[in-house]
Amino acid sequence: MNILVVDDEKEIADLIEIYLQNEGYNVKKCNRAAGVMDIVESENISLAILDVMLPDGDGLELLRQIRREHYFPVIMLTAKIQDTDKITGLTLGADDYITKPFNPLELMARVKTQLRRYTRYNVGGAPEEAPSELTIRGLTIDRDTHKARLNGSELVLTPMEFSILRYLCEHRGKVVSSEELYEKVWGEEFLDCNNTVMAHIARLRSKMKEPARHPRYIKTVWGVGYTIE
């Protein structure tokens, strides 16, 4: 698997490369925004670790460009810790977010989690007893092809967005808490990650052209969680 690492701090990029190579991954490094999209278009990238602050550009703008055509997992890496920065990245389609300084072993764990989820959902890893296709009022979730359609039009979703929508559809009529959604979809312990879940729900609603106040599909039950009725 090819992992793209974009960071202008050579020591950090080299450290990440060593840990990734020790896990058997091929590493493509870039220390500035220029040239990143050339690598993305020419290499079969399985995951990107993308710094927000780059000397010649904005990592969030790079994320926006990547998400126009590509849906591999992206982990944002930055010294910023403000919630607004994190929410912005998640809303633009980032799958995870880690701040500097970080524990390299934690980063490797997150890389493996994202790759495991991405690989599973792109090869149709649904349980055999579950139906391959779910349809709710014009919204269709196909677990085998990892595609979602709304009124006949395909929704262009990241693996994480598809996973969230699929989980809510599978539990139609049940109110799913942010904690449950995070632990089931992200596969990690919930540690006050409500903003992460909220940002992904907001992006899903935007792609589905759902009105914020009166969504037809993903509804908020205040103080409890989310549901598709």
Side-chain angles (χ1 to χ4, degrees):
M1 289 184 175
N2 294 325
I3 308 294
L4 172 62
V5 178
V6 184
D7 197 307
D8 64 317
E9 297 183 62
K10 185 178 185 303
E11 295 81 2
I12 291 179
D14 289 347
L15 177 65
I16 295 174
E17 180 181 30
I18 290 170
Y19 274 83
L20 286 172
Q21 288 179 338
N22 286 342
E23 295 292 340
Y25 301 118
N26 299 317
V27 180
K28 309 292 181 181
K29 287 193 300 183
C30 198
N31 62 3
R32 53 202 306 113
V36 169
M37 292 311 298
D38 290 337
I39 296 175
V40 170
E41 298 299 337
S42 62
E43 303 287 347
N44 183 21
I45 301 298
S46 297
L47 180 143
I49 299 171
L50 179 60
D51 192 12
V52 171
M53 303 294 289
L54 296 168
D56 62 335
D58 183 353
L60 293 176
E61 176 56 32
L62 274 178
L63 172 62
R64 185 181 287 108
Q65 293 177 34
I66 289 172
R67 281 293 176 251
R68 288 173 185 164
E69 298 288 342
H70 303 277
Y71 304 102
F72 53 75
V74 176
I75 298 175
M76 301 302 296
L77 180 65
T78 181
K80 290 186 175 182
I81 59 173
Q82 291 90 342
D83 281 346
T84 52
D85 297 313
K86 181 176 180 179
I87 292 171
T88 298
L90 294 171
T91 302
L92 290 174
D95 296 278
D96 204 351
Y97 208 99
I98 191 166
T99 55
K100 302 174 184 178
F102 58 88
N103 184 331
L105 293 177
E106 179 186 356
L107 178 58
M108 292 306 105
R110 296 193 183 205
V111 166
K112 291 177 183 178
T113 296
Q114 292 299 331
L115 287 173
R116 198 162 50 238
R117 182 181 300 113
Y118 179 63
T119 302
R120 183 170 72 246
Y121 287 135
N122 277 279
V123 298
E128 292 182 3
E129 68 273 11
S132 63
E133 191 170 279
L134 299 171
T135 300
I136 302 173
R137 302 192 311 278
L139 172 64
T140 301
I141 303 293
D142 192 322
R143 306 173 69 163
D144 289 341
T145 63
H146 190 223
K147 292 185 182 297
R149 298 186 303 278
L150 183 58
N151 298 323
S153 298
E154 184 176 343
L155 295 171
V156 181
L157 306 178
T158 65
M160 186 67 71
E161 292 163 355
F162 179 84
S163 301
I164 293 170
L165 188 58
R166 191 187 80 166
Y167 191 83
L168 290 173
C169 287
E170 289 173 347
H171 296 80
R172 178 183 182 183
K174 174 187 174 183
V175 179
V176 179
S177 67
S178 295
E179 178 178 356
E180 177 183 345
L181 196 57
Y182 187 86
E183 292 185 350
K184 295 297 185 181
V185 174
W186 274 259
E188 300 173 1
E189 182 181 359
F190 181 87
L191 297 172
D192 192 24
C193 299
N194 187 53
N195 285 341
T196 301
V197 175
M198 188 184 304
H200 279 80
I201 292 290
R203 185 168 175 82
L204 255 177
R205 284 173 171 162
S206 175
K207 290 187 174 184
M208 296 170 70
K209 296 182 170 55
E210 289 260 74
R213 291 183 177 274
H214 302 288
R216 185 183 178 200
Y217 294 97
I218 305 175
K219 298 185 178 181
T220 301
V221 180
W222 295 108
V224 183
Y226 303 95
T227 185
I228 291 182
E229 298 175 344

